[in-house]
Amino acid sequence: MADSKTLHCNLITPDRQVFECDATSISLPAHDGSVGFLTNRAPLLCKLGVGELTVESPGSTHRYFLDGGFAQMLNNDLTILTEHAEESAGISAASADADLANAAAMTASDPASRAGKDAALARARARKRIASSRR
Amino acid sequence: MAKSRAIAVRRKAVGSIKKITHTMQLIATAGFQKALGKSVGTKPYTEKITELVRQVSAAGGDVDHPLLKSNTETTRRAVLLLTSNRGFCGSYNGNLLRAAMLLIREHERAAAETDLYVVGKKGVNYFKFLGKEMRRTYPDMPDAPAFGDIEPIATDFMQQYESGAYASIHVVYMKFLSAARQQAEAIQLLPIQADAGGDGGKSASAGAGVEYDFSPEPGALLAELLPVTVKVRLFQCVNDAVVSENVARMVAMKSATDAAEEMGKLLGQQFNRARQSQITMELLDIMGGVEALK
């Protein structure tokens, strides 16, 4: 368990536990905007959106790109469940650009495919933002 | 003489079969350990999702979700059968096919039509042989599927269910109970049953009584969580199936190796006996000749 100054963070995907550490502050993309976490935050259950998870721990910062999922905050323990987590450092500008081009080229003729295209566009834009902010 | 030579040939063949089955056993053992590790790695996600569903529904997230309602307009049912791509795994596929056929007959008795969805070449070939039509097969499924391979199947099923195409959707797979015991099992994937969480009230007390901030409100959150539980459930079935397949192959190859060893010993005895009697006969021939010359 984390001591009084830190909170424990756990990032889990269906395939494996991606990452686990004690952090001083965490910022994650909720469905309605970015949410920050410090120690002793009240219990929270929220749906996640597309964006970047930033975990500040003593001595290092970890960044991951998340696409949807859920977060649970309880007793200084933040559990993030997502189907897709990717280390931000691994996203190259070229692949982000290619993703965006692919998403823009998707056809959107009916509501279902339009929703799919919107989601792909949001994903691609978020990845591109992450890739370009690193430079 | 011809007989001993024939035995020698067979003995050699049995020897190489033994080598092959032994190698396959080792490969299956490695595959089993890998699959088991992977299956264990998926546990945290599954457990956490189940816990979240329980907490959200405890907080009054009572929803009228289409995945919970039963479709009464149709009697048509879907069965997803998970078989292996390759054989040499004992009764693994046989048991699965028997379980699937039982389920289909049960549906027939209830005057419900069944649409078959088959994963794995063994299942596909079986139904082709029977002349039974399959709605869809998944020939590109890898031997150890990742969540990304399973997710589209689950999404497709959920869409079809929501559109009212099926009254229920079932999965037939080999449940992994222990390294010594696997069981062909049919579960209902959709509509979601109340006890789909599996472990009942075991961890119900974990977060009970905690006042959460919900974002969005519990009803909407639960509606988002339910499709995830379906995906996770299907993914678990597939993981179990992969582990069970490797165990079944391991066991089958172990007994094949043992049988080959046994047979090799027996053929060795037969060969020695045949060679000895051949020598004895030659000796008798020579002695007979000597006697005749006297």
Side-chain angles (χ1 to χ4, degrees):
Chain A
M1 226 346 76
D3 64 37
S4 61
K5 295 239 173 55
T6 60
L7 66 163
H8 190 245
C9 173
N10 207 344
L11 176 61
I12 306 172
T13 64
D15 289 316
R16 67 201 171 92
Q17 180 169 35
V18 179
F19 163 79
E20 185 179 15
C21 82
D22 286 337
T24 50
S25 83
I26 298 166
S27 147
L28 60 79
H31 68 116
D32 52 359
S34 188
V35 180
F37 291 84
L38 293 171
T39 49
N40 297 326
R41 196 212 180 284
L44 169 82
L45 262 178
C46 81
K47 186 189 153 195
L48 301 182
V50 179
E52 193 175 40
L53 161 77
T54 312
V55 180
E56 303 272 359
S57 61
S60 63
T61 305
H62 305 270
R63 290 168 197 279
Y64 287 87
F65 165 72
L66 305 183
D67 177 14
F70 303 92
Q72 180 200 36
M73 174 77 187
L74 182 67
N75 300 336
N76 272 336
D77 211 338
L78 179 70
T79 310
I80 302 159
L81 301 167
T82 180
E83 287 176 20
H84 184 93
E86 187 179 359
E87 205 160 356
S88 295
I91 301 174
S92 73
S95 82
D97 281 339
D99 269 10
L100 191 58
N102 282 342
M106 278 168 79
T107 53
S109 47
D110 55 284
S113 61
R114 209 169 302 135
K117 180 174 177 171
D118 285 347
L121 273 175
R123 198 161 40 237
R125 287 202 186 106
R127 288 186 80 217
K128 192 170 160 58
R129 207 160 42 235
I130 290 169
S132 52
S133 73
R134 211 165 359 104
R135 262 179 285 170
Chain B
M1 227 160 105
K3 200 184 165 209
S4 64
R5 205 175 307 140
I7 293 173
V9 169
R10 276 190 71 197
R11 197 178 159 199
K12 208 177 150 197
V14 168
S16 29
I17 287 173
K18 188 183 143 193
K19 256 185 221 159
I20 293 168
T21 55
H22 185 64
T23 313
M24 285 170 84
Q25 182 198 335
L26 293 180
I27 293 170
T29 311
F32 162 63
Q33 266 146 11
K34 207 173 139 202
L36 191 65
K38 213 185 127 212
S39 175
V40 169
T42 67
K43 283 269 151 59
Y45 190 84
T46 320
E47 280 165 10
K48 208 72 197 174
I49 287 283
T50 319
E51 186 194 323
L52 289 193
V53 171
R54 204 174 290 124
Q55 287 178 352
V56 175
S57 39
D62 236 353
V63 281
D64 200 18
H65 198 271
L67 296 179
L68 290 167
K69 273 188 298 196
S70 45
N71 284 339
T72 44
E73 313 86 65
T74 177
T75 57
R76 189 168 275 275
R77 298 174 193 188
V79 172
L80 175 70
L81 172 63
L82 304 172
T83 61
S84 72
N85 275 326
R86 283 167 297 147
F88 286 95
C89 44
S91 58
Y92 177 79
N93 289 305
N95 285 342
L96 281 168
L97 294 167
R98 197 172 312 125
M101 288 310 284
L102 272 176
L103 188 65
I104 293 169
R105 290 215 188 91
E106 193 184 299
H107 289 180
E108 273 170 5
R109 272 199 296 279
E113 279 183 81
T114 306
D115 275 355
L116 270 173
Y117 293 77
V118 185
V119 174
K121 273 185 207 145
K122 290 291 156 185
V124 172
N125 291 343
Y126 176 75
F127 286 109
K128 259 190 201 150
F129 174 74
L130 282 187
K132 241 183 163 49
E133 199 185 319
M134 283 164 284
R135 182 69 191 275
R136 202 174 152 196
T137 61
Y138 303 88
D140 300 327
M141 187 61 67
D143 282 337
F147 187 74
D149 299 309
I150 303 306
E151 204 227 325
I153 301 178
T155 311
D156 179 43
F157 275 139
M158 283 188 276
Q159 273 168 4
Q160 295 208 51
Y161 188 79
E162 281 179 42
S163 71
Y166 294 115
S168 59
I169 294 174
H170 305 258
V171 181
V172 176
Y173 73 108
M174 192 64 85
K175 190 176 174 69
F176 176 74
L177 300 167
S178 71
R181 224 161 94 79
Q182 301 91 44
Q183 193 175 25
E185 194 184 58
I187 59 153
Q188 181 178 318
L189 190 66
L190 288 169
I192 300 174
Q193 286 162 319
D195 61 339
D199 54 353
K202 203 181 77 186
S203 52
S205 59
V210 176
E211 298 250 336
Y212 279 101
D213 288 347
F214 289 102
S215 163
E217 27 88 40
L221 203 55
L222 191 58
E224 293 285 339
L225 272 167
L226 286 176
V228 180
T229 60
V230 174
K231 288 180 200 171
V232 162
R233 192 117 195 269
L234 184 61
F235 187 48
Q236 254 187 328
C237 292
V238 173
N239 279 328
D240 257 32
V242 172
V243 176
S244 302
E245 181 195 333
N246 278 300
V247 174
R249 181 163 295 122
M250 206 167 88
V251 171
M253 288 304 108
K254 170 99 175 63
S255 46
T257 309
D258 290 350
E261 173 140 17
E262 195 83 349
M263 201 168 170
K265 269 189 201 154
L266 201 71
L267 284 172
Q269 283 173 4
Q270 282 178 5
F271 174 74
N272 288 339
R273 213 167 286 152
R275 193 187 53 162
Q276 191 56 56
S277 68
Q278 190 185 340
I279 292 167
T280 316
M281 281 226 306
E282 274 169 15
L283 271 175
L284 282 176
D285 260 3
I286 293 166
M287 278 157 73
V290 170
E291 283 302 320
L293 284 178
K294 273 185 189 162

